[in-house]
Amino acid sequence: MNDKNAIRDAVTAAIIDINQTLPSDRQISTTPEAALYGPQGMMDSLTLTLLIVAVEQKIEQNFSQSITLLDYSLGLGENHVFSSIDALGEHIYSLLNSNTHA
Amino acid sequence: MHNQLSGLLVSDFTSDILKAFLTNLKETPSCTITQGPFGNTIPVLKDPAHSLWKNSYDFTVIWTQAHSVIPSFKKALEFQEPSEEEILSECDLFIDAVKDAATRSRFVFVVDWNLPEFFHGYGPIDLHQGGLRYLLLSLNKHLADGLKNIPNVYLLGSEKWLQAAGEKACDPRLWYMSKIPFDPSVFKSAAIDIKAALHCFLGGTKKLIIVDLDNTLWGGIVGDDGWQNLKIGGHDPQGEAFADFQRTLKSFHRRGIILAIVSKNQPEIVWQAFEQHPEMVLKRTDFATWRINWQDKVENIMDLLKELNLTEEAAVFIDDNPAERDRVQKAMPAVLVPAWPLNSLLYTKTLLSLRCFDTASITTDDRKRNEMYTQEKQRTQLRQSMQNAQEWLASLETTVTTAPLTDADLPRAAQLLNKTNQMNLSTRRLSEGDLMNWGKAANHRIWIFRVHDKLGDSGLTGIASFEYSKSSACITDFILSCRVFGRHIENVMIKTMIDECQRLGLQELKAVYLKTDKNQPCLEFFNEASHFAKSEENTFVWKIKDKYPDAWPIIIKNRGTIQ
């Protein structure tokens, strides 16, 4: 069973990395409920791409498991798992545990 | 120290992240960035009518992927075995495109080509002739050779950026989703390097390293432990690391960085250690000057900078003691005080990682700089032994050689133009190419000045230029290295310009002082020693019909004349 806090830490670390590429007025919040991508979010699609890859890398590094965050058939707009850190964390948690149980 | 610079990115991938780092990183200079269109690199570079070139840029970054701009290399990646000649001839097209772009930008950075670490090629024979990495080496060598004679083009090596990023340097996910070939950390390293280079090109290169001694240059405290027990050299990790650190400082000294000591110690004990310790790499003669006493280090550094005629911006201070570093950093914020590791095994790495010594060129004068400062010390000693300044100047037997700027002197002249802050009338900064082009205009004149005396050769230390129209000339550059201030070289430079004004039938020579934070010495010269009349605030005039006083006791030699 993977720890949800450790997953959230990995996502937060990825956001901190991505924030280095963003100007001060476009920084992504690291609070769990803050909106990421979508109508309320601060991210454009390029930033979301960076976040997806950074989070996948952190998960591979910290959990030694490979995950695919994006359902490529849906496109970015339909992937609601990126609405907040919490939602993304939950999604990663289910992916990791489905991997474990498979 | 600089205004905001404008930059253009030309790449065959999404360059938004590089743009973001160049824009957002706090390192100077600050930049505003324009991105070229995705792909079409060679047509964009070659076409002067392209909309991108309607603006002028301080710098252009050209970052491409070899398989994108060299179609035959793409074939090689697919093991179609194109000939090396075919690949290199396509590389020539790219080089020509860069040459075209170099005429439209002050500085051009071209990033060399690489392959992702997971690209295995032919395995163990990949570096043999015909292998992919062999071809890549040939391509990069050909590129470097093709660009080497373009003075404002700099080829940047990307390998260290990729190495620093490690395994994640090239993540195919970023490429497939956003056409980004590298991890953001690669772009961050690149942006830091580009900014450091720009900062240095515009006069920010550090010239002086001031080092502490105990636990900085050697392990232990010489006053307590005795020179025999210092950790330096030998079969000991710390001793080896301190010896390597000294070797590295010595290598900086060889390339023209001045070394100095500021240490709380007894001088005789320190010099005994330098002279008698068999493993000591640095010698007393490697240091241009020193302050070894028990006074405050800030006072010592200020005094030392005054002696060397350098500003705080020119100096780096290295000390193992965080309290001393903090004291110096707070009192002298322009001095670079790098965070220094606790572990002496990391000293050399920390020193080598500093980007503040970047330079646009290494000239013979750079390599001789320490020797020149030693000679300067002898001059000062001679001055102190003389009754008055005129007697001292006469004893130096100074010769100034004046000459119009030529290609041979261009690298050193551009370096002096871009580095000199104090005796600088207008603080104009130009690339080698721009400086030469400026000098070619019919109504522009530009000279270089070399200084030699009985103690040695100070090299190319002065630049003067003017622009004229109708009856008047206005000085554009009046630049003199701090090493030769106050020896009437300034008056020789003025006299040279006045002679040319006479030849051209002009009536006056004007100097307009443009104030910066650092060029007060130039204003003092024009106020007190130039013999010019002050016509209005910061403007000085000499009437050509008047005889300009001789710059006695200097011997002037003219080498070549302006056509």
Side-chain angles (χ1 to χ4, degrees):
Chain A
M1 184 65 68
N2 290 298
D3 180 356
K4 285 188 178 179
N5 285 335
I7 293 170
R8 192 177 295 153
D9 289 347
V11 174
T12 305
I15 291 175
I16 290 167
D17 284 354
I18 303 306
N19 275 339
Q20 290 189 54
T21 69
L22 298 171
S24 52
D25 59 344
R26 285 189 47 219
Q27 296 280 302
I28 308 163
S29 168
T30 51
T31 53
E33 65 283 358
L36 292 176
Y37 188 68
Q40 268 80 49
M42 296 282 287
M43 284 186 181
D44 56 19
S45 58
L46 179 67
T47 312
L48 178 60
T49 304
L50 295 177
L51 180 69
I52 290 167
V53 176
V55 169
E56 288 183 0
Q57 286 173 345
K58 297 276 182 209
I59 296 296
E60 282 160 22
Q61 196 182 316
N62 297 358
F63 297 89
S64 303
Q65 285 190 65
S66 179
I67 56 166
T68 304
L69 282 178
L70 187 64
D71 183 340
Y72 300 107
S73 63
L74 290 177
L76 292 176
E78 304 299 320
N79 281 275
H80 298 301
V81 298
F82 302 109
S83 59
S84 68
I85 292 180
D86 268 348
L88 183 55
E90 286 298 330
H91 179 58
I92 295 168
Y93 180 79
S94 65
L95 285 174
L96 286 175
N97 288 302
S98 65
N99 280 356
T100 310
H101 297 140
Chain B
M1 70 187 291
H2 320 293
N3 294 325
Q4 195 161 58
L5 297 186
S6 61
L8 171 67
L9 305 184
V10 180
S11 70
D12 50 17
F13 52 79
T14 306
S15 58
D16 297 48
I17 303 175
L18 180 60
K19 176 185 175 178
F21 280 121
L22 286 169
T23 311
N24 301 335
L25 284 174
K26 65 176 187 341
E27 282 85 351
T28 54
S30 59
C31 304
T32 50
I33 301 294
T34 303
Q35 289 169 282
F38 183 98
N40 283 327
T41 312
I42 291 180
V44 166
L45 294 177
K46 283 199 80 69
D47 180 9
H50 194 284
S51 59
L52 274 176
W53 298 112
K54 283 179 185 155
N55 300 319
S56 64
Y57 303 99
D58 294 307
F59 68 98
T60 298
V61 179
I62 303 169
W63 196 339
T64 59
Q65 299 168 102
H67 63 265
S68 167
V69 286
I70 314 287
S72 295
F73 188 69
K74 187 168 190 293
K75 287 185 191 169
L77 292 178
E78 294 162 353
F79 301 111
Q80 293 188 51
E81 299 185 351
S83 71
E84 194 175 329
E85 290 71 28
E86 201 180 336
I87 291 176
L88 297 184
S89 71
E90 287 173 10
C91 184
D92 286 333
L93 296 177
F94 178 73
I95 291 167
D96 284 344
V98 173
K99 283 181 185 171
D100 286 349
T103 61
R104 294 177 226 123
S105 191
R106 195 166 159 200
F107 305 110
V108 176
F109 298 99
V110 180
V111 180
D112 73 348
W113 293 306
N114 55 63
L115 282 172
E117 51 85 25
F118 53 78
F119 226 97
H120 197 55
Y122 289 97
I125 58 164
D126 207 39
L127 272 171
H128 292 200
Q129 192 161 15
L132 300 181
R133 288 194 189 270
Y134 174 88
L135 286 176
L136 191 71
L137 282 177
S138 304
L139 260 181
N140 279 324
K141 167 80 167 56
H142 196 72
L143 182 62
D145 288 342
L147 298 178
K148 73 180 174 192
N149 291 324
I150 317 173
N152 60 331
V153 175
Y154 305 91
L155 183 61
L156 302 180
S158 55
E159 195 187 340
K160 66 174 183 149
W161 307 332
L162 270 69
Q163 273 181 357
E167 230 177 79
K168 64 176 186 175
C170 303
D171 195 314
R173 289 172 284 198
L174 285 171
W175 177 255
Y176 289 121
M177 286 198 279
S178 293
K179 297 295 170 280
I180 300 170
F182 308 112
D183 184 77
S185 59
V186 174
F187 292 111
K188 186 178 180 184
S189 300
I192 290 171
D193 273 0
I194 291 166
K195 283 188 156 225
L198 289 167
H199 179 75
C200 291
F201 294 171
L202 298 172
T205 302
K206 301 292 180 190
K207 299 172 182 170
L208 166 70
I209 301 177
I210 304 167
V211 285
D212 169 49
L213 296 174
D214 293 334
N215 290 317
T216 300
L217 218 52
W218 51 62
I221 296 169
V222 67
D224 293 343
D225 304 331
W227 64 265
Q228 301 89 338
N229 299 310
L230 294 179
K231 283 191 175 175
I232 176 146
H235 301 284
D236 167 76
Q238 275 194 307
E240 280 183 39
F242 278 113
D244 264 347
F245 181 59
Q246 289 202 14
R247 261 181 224 108
T248 308
L249 284 167
K250 188 131 184 162
S251 71
F252 277 71
H253 173 266
R254 276 188 207 104
R255 61 178 270 198
I257 308 293
I258 306 154
L259 303 181
I261 298 169
V262 169
S263 170
K264 287 180 176 166
N265 253 311
Q266 288 292 117
E268 57 278 10
I269 294 174
V270 163
W271 296 127
Q272 190 183 27
F274 272 106
E275 280 151 24
Q276 300 203 10
H277 199 296
E279 306 261 13
M280 196 69 75
V281 178
L282 287 167
K283 305 295 175 203
R284 183 175 179 149
T285 49
D286 292 325
F287 297 96
T289 190
W290 47 82
R291 296 291 181 277
I292 302 167
N293 52 42
W294 299 98
Q295 290 170 24
D296 176 36
K297 289 200 175 181
V298 169
E299 284 173 26
N300 273 328
I301 293 172
M302 283 177 175
D303 191 41
L304 183 148
L305 289 173
K306 199 173 164 190
E307 179 194 326
L308 295 171
N309 260 342
L310 291 173
T311 59
E312 291 177 23
E313 284 82 358
V316 178
F317 175 64
I318 296 174
D319 196 314
D320 69 300
N321 184 336
E324 295 285 11
R325 293 202 303 269
D326 189 55
R327 161 89 183 111
V328 171
Q329 189 65 98
K330 283 190 175 135
M332 309 174 86
V335 172
L336 176 68
V337 183
W340 207 244
L342 284 172
N343 188 338
S344 55
L345 274 56
L346 299 174
Y347 282 10
T348 298
K349 181 188 171 187
T350 307
L351 176 60
L352 288 172
S353 301
L354 297 177
R355 290 169 164 94
C356 56
F357 304 108
D358 282 8
T359 179
S361 61
I362 295 278
T363 64
T364 317
D365 284 355
D366 287 324
R367 296 189 188 282
K368 284 162 60 184
R369 185 172 294 122
N370 276 285
E371 192 186 321
M372 291 172 182
Y373 271 98
T374 306
Q375 291 160 3
E376 192 52 36
K377 210 174 172 72
Q378 291 169 330
R379 280 183 200 103
T380 308
Q381 284 163 358
L382 191 62
R383 169 74 187 90
Q384 284 159 356
S385 70
M386 296 280 176
Q387 290 290 321
N388 59 54
Q390 286 303 92
E391 190 188 345
W392 169 65
L393 287 173
S395 74
L396 288 175
E397 299 165 17
T398 306
T399 301
V400 177
T401 307
T402 72
L405 177 66
T406 61
D407 284 336
D409 291 319
L410 188 56
R412 169 62 187 152
Q415 189 188 59
L416 191 67
L417 181 92
N418 289 310
K419 275 185 173 178
T420 307
N421 295 314
Q422 297 182 84
M423 185 60 75
N424 197 331
L425 185 72
S426 61
T427 318
R428 183 169 74 136
R429 309 299 196 194
L430 293 176
S431 68
E432 289 180 23
D434 287 344
L435 179 63
M436 195 43 124
N437 286 336
W438 186 91
K440 282 177 182 163
N443 62 332
H444 294 172
R445 297 288 185 271
I446 184 161
W447 296 265
I448 53 103
F449 299 83
R450 295 180 173 279
V451 177
H452 182 92
D453 65 21
K454 72 173 185 183
L455 293 170
D457 187 6
S458 298
L460 197 169
T461 40
I463 301 171
S465 70
F466 69 60
E467 184 173 353
Y468 71 94
S469 61
K470 296 181 183 167
S471 60
S472 172
C474 186
I475 300 176
T476 307
D477 302 297
F478 188 81
I479 293 165
L480 189 64
S481 164
C482 53
R483 283 183 278 124
V484 292
F485 274 14
R487 288 166 51 190
H488 299 342
I489 316 297
E490 298 91 333
N491 303 89
V492 174
M493 292 163 64
I494 297 279
K495 177 84 168 64
T496 303
M497 288 190 280
I498 288 173
D499 287 350
E500 179 64 5
C501 287
Q502 268 173 346
R503 197 183 72 85
L504 292 166
L506 305 178
Q507 289 172 16
E508 66 175 19
L509 176 64
K510 195 157 55 170
V512 180
Y513 167 78
L514 298 178
K515 183 178 166 55
T516 70
D517 291 343
K518 300 169 198 162
N519 67 348
Q520 179 71 16
C522 193
L523 181 63
E524 283 167 13
F525 166 73
F526 274 95
N527 271 324
E528 294 160 20
S530 70
H531 309 299
F532 276 43
K534 193 169 180 177
S535 64
E536 54 189 283
E537 186 66 18
N538 292 339
T539 302
F540 304 85
V541 177
W542 178 262
K543 297 292 177 193
I544 304 300
K545 65 178 171 49
D546 297 335
K547 182 178 166 18
Y548 193 76
D550 283 336
W552 185 89
I554 293 174
I555 301 157
I556 304 170
K557 287 184 180 172
N558 295 314
R559 196 193 73 197
T561 51
I562 287 179
Q563 300 300 311

